[in-house]
C-alpha cells in the first residue's frame, strides 16, 4: 500500500523516493511552533516608507474654495474699474465738450453825434427815422428757418433760439430792466456758472471788459432818463450752429431804438453834453447789440444760456460818459460839443479794455425833415 503523498500509481519511474524526501531533514517540533510569533503589517508598512498618501491635508486657504474665487473676481472687477477711470482722466484726447462755463467778455462803445440831437414826439421821430419800418417789441425778434444739425434735432435748435430770444427780450425790452428795476427775469436765464459775474457787474460795474452792467443788458440811468414810449423798435437777426456734439452756438445782431425824455426836464449833467434839453421833446436812442451765446444740452433742459461775448454801441452819448453802469444819452437840443472821439493808445496797458468812443453816423440820427415812409 502506498503512502499518503504517493500518487495512485506509485512513485514515478526515475523519481527518487517521491516528493517528501527532499524535506525530510526539516523538522518542526511542537516547541518551535509554539514559540513562533505572527505579525500583521499595517497598510502604510506594507506600502513602504517612500509612498505618497492617497489623501493630502487641505490647508485653511484651500478649504475656502468658492470664497477664494469670489474674492479674486471682486479684485479683478475693482482693478478693471480703476483702470477705466484712470484712463478716462488721463486720456490725451479729452472731449472739448467738457469745457466749463466761460466768463462774459464785453465792449461798450458810446457814439457821439455830429450835431444837435433832434427832438419831437415819439411818433414823429420814429416815422422819420431809419427805424420807421422796424417791428415793435418782441415781434422784432424773429426765429430763422431751422434745420437739424449733426448732433441736435430741429426741435433742440428751436429751443436754443427761443432761449436766446427770451434773453434779448428780457434784457433789451422789459421796461423794468430798462429803467433800473428788477433784473431777476434776466438773471434766471443765465447759466449758474455766470451768476457771480452777473451780480458783481450789477453791484460794481466797470468798463474793464468783464464787469460792465451794460454788457449784460440795456439800462438807462433812472435818475436822468425815462421812456417816452414803451414801444421799442427792433430789427436784426438770430442764427444757430453746432459748436460741438454737446453745445450749440447762437449769435444775435439786433438794433433797438428807444424814445426817451429827461427826468423832470432836468438840465444836462456835468460831462453829459452841451445845451439845455428841449422842453417836452423826446429824442431817440439807438443801441446795437451783437451777442454770442452758448447752450449745452443741460442749458437746453434748464432753459438757460451762457453769454460769451457782448458788443454794445449806443448813441447819442457823449464820449466822456461812462456807459458801464447805465446809458446816459444826450437829449433833444443837446450836442456833444468838443467831446469828440479821440484815438486810443495801444501802448497803454493799465486797462484791460481801454475806453472807446465812436461817431454816430448822420443816417442814424432821426431827422423830422425826412419824408414819411
Amino acid at each position: 500500500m502506498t503512502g499518503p503523498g504517493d500518487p495512485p500509481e506509485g512513485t514515478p519511474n526515475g523519481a527518487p523516493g517521491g516528493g517528501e524526501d527532499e524535506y525530510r531533514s526539516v523538522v518542526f517540533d511542537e516547541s518551535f511552533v509554539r514559540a513562533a510569533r505572527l505579525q500583521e503589517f499595517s497598510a502604510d508598512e506594507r506600502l513602504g516608507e517612500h509612498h505618497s498618501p492617497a489623501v493630502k491635508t487641505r490647508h485653511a486657504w484651500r478649504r475656502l474654495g468658492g470664497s477664494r474665487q469670489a474674492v479674486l473676481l471682486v479684485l479683478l472687477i475693482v482693478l478693471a474699474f480703476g483702470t477705466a477711470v484712470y484712463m478716462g482722466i488721463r486720456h490725451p484726447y479729452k472731449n472739448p465738450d467738457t469745457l466749463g462755463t466761460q466768463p462774459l467778455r464785453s465792449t461798450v462803445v458810446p457814439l457821439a453825434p455830429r450835431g444837435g440831437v433832434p427832438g419831437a414826439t415819439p411818433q414823429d421821430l420814429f416815422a422819420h427815422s431809419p427805424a420807421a419800418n422796424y417791428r415793435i417789441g418782441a415781434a422784432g425778434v424773429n426765429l430763422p428757418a431751422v434745420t437739424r444739425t449733426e448732433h441736435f434735432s430741429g426741435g433742440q435748435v428751436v429751443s436754443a433760439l427761443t432761449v436766446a430770444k427770451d434773453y434779448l427780450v428780457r434784457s433789451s425790452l422789459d421796461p423794468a430792466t430798462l429803467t433800473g428795476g428788477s433784473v431777476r427775469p434776466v438773471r434766471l436765464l443765465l447759466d449758474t456758472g455766470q451768476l457771480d459775474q452777473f451780480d458783481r457787474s450789477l453791484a460794481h460795474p466797470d468798463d474793464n471788459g468783464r464787469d460792465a452792467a451794460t454788457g449784460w443788458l440795456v439800462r438807462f440811468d433812472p435818475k436822468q432818463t425815462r421812456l417816452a414810449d414803451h414801444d421799442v423798435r427792433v430789427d436784426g437777426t438770430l442764427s444757430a450752429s453746432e459748436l460741438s456734439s454737446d453745445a450749440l452756438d447762437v449769435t444775435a445782431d439786433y438794433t433797438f431804438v428807444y424814445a426817451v425824455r429827461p427826468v423832470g426836464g432836468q438840465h444836462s449833467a456835468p460831462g453829459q453834453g452841451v445845451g439845455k434839453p428841449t422842453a417836452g421833446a423826446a429824442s431817440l436812442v439807438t443801441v446795437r447789440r451783437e451777442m454770442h451765446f452758448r447752450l449745452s444740452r443741460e442749458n437746453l433742459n434748464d432753459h438757460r444760456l451762457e453769454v460769451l461775448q457782448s458788443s454794445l454801441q449806443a448813441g447819442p452819448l457823449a464820449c466822456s460818459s461812462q456807459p458801464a453802469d447805465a446809458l446816459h444819452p444826450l437829449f433833444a437840443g443837446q450836442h456833444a460839443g468838443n467831446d469828440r472821439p479821440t484815438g486810443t493808445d495801444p501802448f497803454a496797458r493799465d486797462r484791460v479794455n481801454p475806453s472807446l468812443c465812436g461817431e454816430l453816423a448822420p443816417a442814424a440820427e432821426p431827422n423830422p425833415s425826412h419824408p414819411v415812409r
Side-chain angles (χ1 to χ4, degrees), residues 167 170-171 174 176-190 195 198-199 201-203 213 216-219 325:
Y167 184 87
R170 296 184 189 184
S171 64
D174 187 348
T177 301
L178 296 174
T179 56
S182 173
V183 296
R184 177 176 170 79
V186 179
R187 192 177 189 275
L188 290 175
L189 290 175
L190 291 175
L195 294 181
F198 177 80
D199 294 340
S201 300
L202 271 293
W216 300 96
L217 46 81
V218 178
R219 183 169 68 172
D325 60 335

Side-chain angles (χ1 to χ4, degrees), residues 336-362:
N338 296 326
D339 189 9
R340 311 299 300 169
T342 59
T344 58
D345 183 3
F347 299 98
R349 299 180 180 275
D350 56 334
R351 299 192 66 80
V352 177
N353 181 40
S355 297
L356 301 175
C357 184
E359 186 173 77
L360 187 64

Side-chain angles (χ1 to χ4, degrees), residues 7 10 16 21 48 54 61 85 111 139 166 197 201 225 234 237 262 277 303 307 310 314 323 325 329 341 364 373:
D21 292 339
W61 173 254
V85 171
L111 302 177
D166 289 347
Q197 185 186 11
S201 300
T225 308
V234 183
T237 59
H303 201 77
V307 187
S310 172
D325 60 335
R373 287 186 286 175

Side-chain angles (χ1 to χ4, degrees), residues 22-368:
E22 54 185 300
Y23 297 106
R24 295 185 185 275
S25 60
V26 180
V27 179
F28 299 97
D29 57 13
E30 185 178 356
S31 61
F32 177 82
V33 174
R34 292 179 178 178
R37 298 179 58 189
L38 298 179
Q39 182 177 359
E40 181 72 21
F41 291 98
S42 66
D44 286 340
E45 290 173 330
R46 288 196 300 271
L47 292 173
E49 60 180 348
H50 299 293
H51 79 284
S52 298
V55 179
K56 294 184 179 180
T57 302
R58 300 179 64 186
H59 296 287
W61 173 254
R62 293 181 178 177
R63 287 197 299 269
L64 291 175
S67 299
R68 180 183 63 174
Q69 296 177 0
V71 171
L72 291 175
L73 180 60
V74 171
L75 290 176
L76 288 175
I77 294 175
V78 171
L79 180 61
F81 180 76
T83 302
V85 171
Y86 176 79
M87 293 300 294
I89 295 175
R90 301 294 298 174
H91 199 287
Y93 304 106
K94 288 185 69 176
N95 193 330
D97 302 344
T98 58
L99 291 175
T101 304
Q102 302 296 307
L104 166 67
R105 305 294 297 181
S106 64
T107 58
V108 182
V109 180
L111 302 177
R114 293 181 181 177
V117 178
T121 64
Q123 292 73 21
D124 288 340
L125 291 171
F126 283 128
H128 295 85
S129 77
N133 295 323
Y134 286 6
R135 294 192 176 187
I136 297 175
V141 185
N142 293 317
L143 303 187
V146 171
T147 58
R148 64 165 297 125
T149 67
E150 182 178 358
H151 298 96
F152 290 87
S153 67
Q156 290 174 313
V157 176
V158 170
S159 296
L161 291 167
T162 301
V163 179
K165 174 178 178 176
D166 289 347
Y167 184 87
L168 290 170
V169 170
R170 296 184 189 184
S171 64
S172 309
L173 300 174
D174 187 348
T177 301
L178 296 174
T179 56
S182 173
V183 296
R184 177 176 170 79
V186 179
R187 192 177 189 275
L188 290 175
L189 290 175
L190 291 175
D191 185 283
T192 55
Q194 289 189 319
L195 294 181
D196 287 343
Q197 185 186 11
F198 177 80
D199 294 340
R200 182 173 63 252
S201 300
L202 271 293
H204 306 287
D206 193 342
D207 61 344
N208 58 8
R210 297 183 301 269
D211 300 318
T214 45
W216 300 96
L217 46 81
V218 178
R219 183 169 68 172
F220 297 101
D221 185 350
K223 297 180 180 179
Q224 299 180 1
T225 308
R226 64 184 180 90
L227 295 176
D229 189 342
H230 286 78
D231 291 336
V232 181
R233 271 48 175 187
V234 183
D235 185 64
T237 59
L238 268 177
S239 63
S241 61
E242 185 173 305
L243 183 63
S244 68
S245 60
D246 190 53
L248 288 170
D249 177 90
V250 177
T251 58
D253 185 356
Y254 276 86
T255 299
F256 303 89
V257 184
Y258 308 88
V260 299
R261 285 192 177 97
V263 173
Q266 69 172 44
H267 296 279
S268 60
Q272 294 299 307
V274 178
K276 181 180 179 180
T278 302
S283 60
L284 297 184
V285 178
T286 303
V287 176
R288 181 174 179 177
R289 301 186 76 190
E290 297 174 81
M291 308 197 74
H292 184 122
F293 307 107
R294 183 175 71 181
L295 295 95
S296 66
R297 294 182 185 277
E298 184 178 356
N299 290 145
L300 291 176
N301 293 332
D302 297 340
H303 201 77
R304 293 177 180 267
L305 50 69
E306 292 179 56
V307 187
L308 297 184
Q309 294 179 352
S310 172
S311 175
L312 182 144
Q313 303 175 57
L317 273 72
C319 289
S320 58
S321 66
Q322 300 295 325
D325 60 335
L327 302 180
H328 309 273
L330 301 175
F331 299 109
Q334 292 186 302
H335 59 88
N338 296 326
D339 189 9
R340 311 299 300 169
T342 59
T344 58
D345 183 3
F347 299 98
R349 299 180 180 275
D350 56 334
R351 299 192 66 80
V352 177
N353 181 40
S355 297
L356 301 175
C357 184
E359 186 173 77
L360 187 64
E365 295 182 22
N367 189 341

